[in-house]
Amino acid sequence: MSFVKNKKYLIIFLVLIIFGLIIIMSLNYFNPKNRLKRQLERGQKELNIKLKEIEQMYQNDTYGGQTPEETYSLFLEALKNNDINLAVKYFLPEKQEEYKTLLTQIKQSNQWNQMLKDLLNPKNSKGKMMNGNYVIEVIDDKNVSVTTIVIKKPILILGNNKTELSNLWKIAQF
């Protein structure tokens, strides 16, 4: 009987130990600091995945020039050929859909020829470097500013780190 009694106490002792461990592990798991740490780690993993996707997108992008002037020239050539799909490939990848919509609206509103006239005006063929960007101020034949085109090399800035995503110049603003 003493053996059965000891076995019973041993089982109760083990159940209490297991129950205590479950409580300690639960408190540790639901601890706000540990929960925040897990969230931060998850966020960091998601950010790293997104950054790799962005880097891959730019590495696969072959549209653009070695100089801002070359990119602008290629863009104008696509517009002259009425090729909106090609023209938008000279924009930053994340802005291509936005500018495809804009160029399509310009074409549908019968402003395409006026846009081409303004863009092809010799006064609008040169820009200037400003803060690492090539800026072209497009003016119409009445000397009124129509738009500003900004061409730049894609750079990813994280904190103090700058990473050039591509050696091609892309249109950032139109």
Side-chain angles (χ1 to χ4, degrees), residues 25-46:
M25 290 172 61
S26 296
L27 290 173
N28 188 38
Y29 182 79
F30 291 109
N31 179 313
K33 287 182 184 177
N34 291 339
R35 209 163 122 220
L36 180 60
K37 181 181 175 188
R38 285 191 307 276
Q39 288 174 337
L40 290 173
E41 288 170 352
R42 202 171 328 133
Q44 184 66 43
K45 284 180 186 176
E46 291 171 5

Side-chain angles (χ1 to χ4, degrees), residues 118-147:
D118 292 339
L119 292 174
L120 297 172
N121 183 335
K123 292 188 276 185
N124 299 324
S125 64
K126 294 288 179 199
K128 59 185 171 191
M129 290 299 293
M130 294 176 59
N131 300 323
N133 298 327
Y134 189 75
V135 179
I136 302 168
E137 188 69 32
V138 178
I139 55 173
D140 65 13
D141 48 6
K142 296 178 184 123
N143 224 21
V144 175
S145 178
V146 177
T147 189

Side-chain angles (χ1 to χ4, degrees), residues 14-125:
L14 289 176
V15 168
L16 288 174
I17 293 289
I18 291 171
F19 186 68
L21 287 173
I22 290 172
I23 289 174
I24 291 171
M25 290 172 61
S26 296
L27 290 173
N28 188 38
Y29 182 79
F30 291 109
N31 179 313
K33 287 182 184 177
N34 291 339
R35 209 163 122 220
L36 180 60
K37 181 181 175 188
R38 285 191 307 276
Q39 288 174 337
L40 290 173
E41 288 170 352
R42 202 171 328 133
Q44 184 66 43
K45 284 180 186 176
E46 291 171 5
L47 177 62
N48 288 339
I49 290 169
K50 187 66 176 166
L51 290 175
K52 287 198 185 312
E53 289 172 1
I54 290 170
E55 287 174 353
Q56 190 66 39
M57 179 175 54
Y58 277 96
Q59 288 172 359
N60 293 334
D61 184 5
T62 59
Y63 294 91
Q66 297 297 316
T67 66
E69 295 89 353
E70 182 182 5
T71 295
Y72 188 56
S73 176
L74 292 165
F75 171 68
L76 291 178
E77 192 62 36
L79 291 178
K80 281 192 269 186
N81 292 326
N82 293 311
D83 192 343
I84 292 174
N85 290 324
L86 177 59
V88 297
K89 291 183 180 188
Y90 298 108
F91 285 89
L92 295 170
E94 62 270 17
K95 295 194 174 210
Q96 290 177 1
E97 284 303 314
E98 171 189 345
Y99 283 106
K100 183 175 185 175
T101 301
L102 175 67
L103 291 173
T104 301
Q105 289 171 348
I106 290 170
K107 184 131 182 135
Q108 291 172 346
S109 67
N110 295 322
Q111 295 175 342
W112 188 263
N113 290 334
Q114 182 61 47
M115 178 188 72
L116 282 179
K117 181 181 172 191
D118 292 339
L119 292 174
L120 297 172
N121 183 335
K123 292 188 276 185
N124 299 324
S125 64

